[in-house]
């Protein structure tokens, strides 16, 4: 019954850029934090539409670009998804040294 809210922020260092995507959704049980990144796997009750492929694709792309992705969440408190990427890329997403 609460209107959805999504906040996006970021910060940059000399070698990395980090993005945070926060929502005020129903949250994710810590036992499901890794499960949600698996293809066709979803967390919690299956009472909302979805296929379970979005986060798996995002994580695969982030990894291909040399970065990593994580989640911080608990039921009833929303979620924070963090994506960290290198500032510079080589060919095919390989990290390029400065």
């Amino acid at each position: 019954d609460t209107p959805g809210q999504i906040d996006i922020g970021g910060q940059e260092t000399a070698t990395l850029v980090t993005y945070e995507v926060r929502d005020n959704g129903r949250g994710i049980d810590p036992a499901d934090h890794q499960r949600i990144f698996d293809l066709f796997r979803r967390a919690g009750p299956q009472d909302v539409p979805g296929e379970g492929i979005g986060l798996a694709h995002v994580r695969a792309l982030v990894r291909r670009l040399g970065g990593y992705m994580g989640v911080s969440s608990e039921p009833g408190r929303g979620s924070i998804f963090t994506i960290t990427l290198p500032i510079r890329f080589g060919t095919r997403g390989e990290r390029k040294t400065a």
Side-chain angles (χ1 to χ4, degrees):
D1 295 330
T2 303
Q5 181 176 340
I6 297 174
D7 296 312
I8 301 170
Q11 58 186 352
E12 185 178 317
T13 67
T15 59
L16 299 172
V17 63
T18 300
Y19 297 99
E20 283 190 354
V21 180
R22 297 173 179 259
D23 68 40
N24 67 339
R26 63 183 178 179
I28 302 165
D29 188 287
D32 289 329
H33 283 186
Q34 290 309 306
R35 172 189 170 106
I36 61 171
F37 295 109
D38 294 338
L39 196 56
F40 302 117
R41 302 296 298 245
R42 297 172 55 212
Q46 306 299 300
D47 59 345
V48 215
E51 301 298 326
I53 60 174
L55 290 173
H57 285 300
V58 172
R59 183 180 67 171
L61 177 60
V62 167
R63 284 181 173 175
R64 183 173 176 113
L65 293 172
Y68 52 93
M69 180 176 183
V71 64
S72 172
S73 182
E74 54 186 89
R77 302 200 55 145
S79 302
I80 303 170
F81 293 91
T82 304
I83 297 171
T84 301
L85 297 167
I87 293 282
R88 295 182 175 207
F89 300 102
T91 57
R92 297 186 185 170
E94 297 168 3
R95 291 180 79 163
K96 182 178 179 181
T97 57

